[in-house]
Amino acid sequence: MKVKSILVSQPEPKIENSPYGTLASKQKVKIDFVPFIHVEGISASDFRKEKVNPRDYRSVILTSKNAVDHYFRICEEMRVPISNDTKYFCISEAIAYYLQKYVVYRKRKIYHGYHTIDDLIPVLKKHKDEKFFMPSSDILKASIPSTLEKHNINFSRAVLYKTVISDLSHLRDVYYDILVFFSPEGIRSLMKNFPDFKQNDTRIAAFGSTTHKAVEAAGLRLDIVAPTPQYPSMTKALDD
């Protein structure tokens, strides 16, 4: 069946010449973006219950852009001054550059890996005497804390924001040829919002092994898989 419409379960990219824009133009398809999940920051009063104080740390491990946003938010709400000597250890270069939203990049001690927590371990070990603060969501890849523990990194994790299922009731009577997912939480949101969902001719595209497993666990048919050697990106897989 011909594809005329695609729903991507994420916010619309805020970049010019997005690969999705190119795909829509090339294939003459309609592409909509609707976040199936969103994050909500916890209050300063709830955070205090975790009994972890950012004042006690001068080194911070950042695993996502959301972690960056909520670290600076909670420090502002709690009136915790952030020292110019604070060291930032980012899981990727993109997250490191995102820090420019809050600090003067060239004047700060910022380190980064390439993509995974394993990439960051050699850098963390060079600062083995530090105590690290790791702000995170309530949902965090188990491999991140387990890898830190395996390498005896002295860190304290604190939940600063939660992943919440979005209200998708406005999509109840809307049909799309392809639904695109990037996380197990997106699949859970689909099934929570539409417990009577029937896939029928709708194709499901999923990115990442954990998302693939979530599709199958929900009893759905996985039609489009990425990343693969042939399709390193979701837009490439959709294009084909």
Side-chain angles (χ1 to χ4, degrees):
M1 294 179 64
K2 183 175 175 58
V3 174
K4 297 181 180 179
S5 60
I6 299 173
L7 177 63
V8 180
S9 61
Q10 283 190 330
E12 184 171 1
K14 296 180 181 180
I15 59 172
E16 293 184 15
N17 303 318
S18 162
Y20 286 102
T22 302
L23 175 65
S25 177
K26 176 183 176 182
Q27 297 292 357
K28 304 295 190 291
V29 295
K30 175 188 177 184
I31 302 180
D32 289 336
F33 298 86
V34 178
F36 276 39
I37 57 174
H38 62 279
V39 298
E40 293 180 357
I42 68 168
S43 66
S45 59
D46 284 339
F47 172 67
R48 288 189 181 95
K49 295 175 184 177
E50 297 194 47
K51 297 181 180 179
V52 179
N53 194 332
R55 295 176 189 270
D56 299 333
Y57 302 84
R58 286 293 177 264
S59 294
V60 185
I61 297 174
L62 298 165
T63 58
S64 70
K65 292 179 181 179
N66 280 326
V68 174
D69 287 334
H70 288 280
Y71 168 71
F72 285 94
R73 174 189 64 81
I74 206 73
C75 286
E76 181 178 1
E77 288 182 11
M78 295 178 66
R79 298 179 181 177
V80 174
I82 300 176
S83 169
N84 290 342
D85 293 327
T86 298
K87 300 174 184 177
Y88 302 96
F89 298 82
C90 306
I91 206 168
S92 70
E93 187 175 19
I95 296 169
Y97 282 134
Y98 186 71
L99 277 167
Q100 293 178 103
K101 182 177 178 180
Y102 298 97
V103 302
V104 180
Y105 190 87
R106 61 186 176 81
K107 292 185 178 181
R108 297 295 182 269
K109 298 173 182 177
I110 300 174
Y111 311 87
H112 65 81
Y114 297 98
H115 185 65
T116 69
I117 190 65
D118 295 280
D119 302 328
L120 196 57
I121 291 298
V123 182
L124 294 172
K125 283 188 171 181
K126 290 180 181 179
H127 301 264
K128 60 182 180 180
D129 295 329
E130 297 281 347
K131 290 195 307 180
F132 297 92
F133 178 67
M134 186 170 70
S136 79
S137 167
D138 56 330
I139 298 174
L140 180 69
K141 285 184 179 178
S143 61
I144 294 178
S146 66
T147 299
L148 293 173
E149 290 167 0
K150 174 184 174 182
H151 291 280
N152 298 314
I153 304 300
N154 183 6
F155 76 100
S156 295
R157 176 191 173 190
V159 174
L160 299 190
Y161 57 100
K162 295 183 177 181
T163 303
V164 180
I165 289 174
S166 302
D167 179 7
L168 305 176
S169 56
H170 61 292
L171 295 177
R172 182 165 298 281
D173 298 318
V174 182
Y175 175 84
Y176 289 90
D177 295 304
I178 299 178
L179 302 179
V180 184
F181 296 93
F182 291 87
S183 72
E185 289 71 38
I187 299 296
R188 282 194 277 274
S189 177
L190 172 70
M191 303 312 293
K192 178 74 173 180
N193 276 280
F194 310 110
D196 56 348
F197 175 75
K198 297 289 187 284
Q199 185 171 355
N200 299 322
D201 293 325
T202 300
R203 274 142 287 183
I204 290 182
F207 191 93
S209 59
T210 57
T211 314
H212 302 159
K213 292 175 183 176
V215 172
E216 294 165 355
L220 301 174
R221 184 183 68 252
L222 180 56
D223 302 291
I224 302 169
V225 177
T228 67
Q230 186 178 4
Y231 305 123
S233 70
M234 177 54 76
T235 48
K236 176 63 177 172
L238 291 170
D239 189 22
D240 192 66

